[in-house]
């Protein structure tokens, strides 16, 4: 088992990244996630596959460009290239709250233990951890705060309306 958490539980990751080196017409079987740029170029070929398809977005990719394809995507991977870059928080909230995306949103990159609670509030439901991170400690971080005041992807109402 790798360092992967889905829906607040350790899980097996069945997804394989598409590197761009494979021939689009001869892809490996199984669930794959592909860069958004490849999706735009070979969208129809990826949709013909008999397995699940996901996308990995750069922090500069516009999530609204996916609005017509969201019901066909089972996974969207958002990247945290460094601690100070929070654009993936915004992308996740836009996907959940404005575009109504119901599939898996995965955080990858510099996923910090003290940020997973906030990532979850923004709509992330899976987390790819670094090898040096301890899964039980990260799982405990989800419960470090028990009261939230503001609405978010995980709670539609502010505390005074609940």
């Amino acid at each position: 088992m790798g360092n992967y958490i889905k829906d607040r539980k350790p899980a097996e990751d069945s997804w394989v990244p598409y590197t761009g080196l494979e021939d689009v017409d001869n892809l490996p079987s199984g669930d794959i996630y592909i860069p958004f740029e490849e999706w735009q170029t070979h969208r129809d070929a990826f949709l013909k596959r008999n397995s699940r398809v996901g996308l990995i977005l750069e922090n500069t990719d516009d999530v609204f460009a996916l609005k017509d394809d969201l019901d066909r995507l089972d996974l969207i991977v958002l990247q945290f290239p460094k601690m100070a870059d929070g654009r993936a928080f915004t992308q996740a909230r836009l996907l959940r709250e404005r575009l109504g995306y119901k599939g898996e949103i995965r955080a990858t990159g510099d996923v910090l233990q003290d940020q997973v609670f906030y990532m979850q509030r923004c709509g992330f439901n899976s987390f790819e951890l670094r090898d040096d991170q301890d899964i039980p400690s990260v799982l405990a971080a989800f419960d470090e705060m028990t009261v939230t005041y503001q609405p978010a992807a995980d709670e539609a109402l502010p505390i005074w309306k609940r």
Side-chain angles (χ1 to χ4, degrees):
M1 184 178 306
N3 282 346
Y4 174 64
I5 295 172
K6 183 176 179 187
D7 298 326
R8 300 178 67 158
K9 299 176 187 162
E12 287 290 327
D13 184 9
S14 65
W15 291 89
V16 176
Y18 171 77
T19 64
L21 301 175
E22 303 93 341
D23 179 15
V24 173
D25 296 324
N26 194 17
L27 292 171
S29 62
D31 304 332
I32 62 167
Y33 60 91
I34 56 180
F36 182 55
E37 187 175 319
E38 292 290 331
W39 172 258
Q40 292 175 310
T41 305
H42 304 289
R43 178 184 172 274
D44 292 336
F46 289 120
L47 288 176
K48 290 179 184 173
R49 300 183 75 237
N50 289 328
S51 60
R52 299 185 302 166
V53 175
L55 293 183
I56 182 166
L57 301 181
E58 298 292 331
N59 286 344
T60 54
D61 290 334
D62 180 8
V63 296
F64 289 101
L66 299 173
K67 70 179 182 180
D68 295 331
D69 292 322
L70 287 176
D71 58 338
R72 300 173 181 169
L73 300 171
D74 297 294
L75 168 71
I76 296 179
V77 179
L78 301 176
Q79 302 178 66
F80 289 88
K82 58 184 178 181
M83 180 192 71
D85 190 338
R87 290 177 283 183
F89 284 103
T90 303
Q91 289 176 309
R93 280 197 79 166
L94 291 173
L95 284 166
R96 291 283 190 226
E97 296 175 15
R98 294 201 188 163
L99 297 173
Y101 181 66
K102 303 291 184 204
E104 178 180 347
I105 299 179
R106 179 184 300 186
T108 187
D110 201 9
V111 178
L112 301 178
Q113 176 180 327
D114 35 339
Q115 291 182 336
V116 294
F117 175 82
Y118 301 106
M119 290 176 179
Q120 175 186 261
R121 296 220 65 215
C122 289
F124 288 94
N125 65 328
S126 67
F127 307 87
E128 190 175 304
L129 306 177
R130 295 185 319 256
D131 290 338
D132 64 330
Q133 290 178 299
D134 179 49
I135 287 184
S137 298
V138 175
L139 291 173
F142 287 112
D143 298 320
E144 287 180 349
M145 288 181 243
T146 57
V147 178
T148 57
Y149 294 99
Q150 300 170 331
D154 64 344
E155 175 58 60
L157 299 174
I159 192 168
W160 56 274
K161 282 192 169 181
R162 292 182 211 154

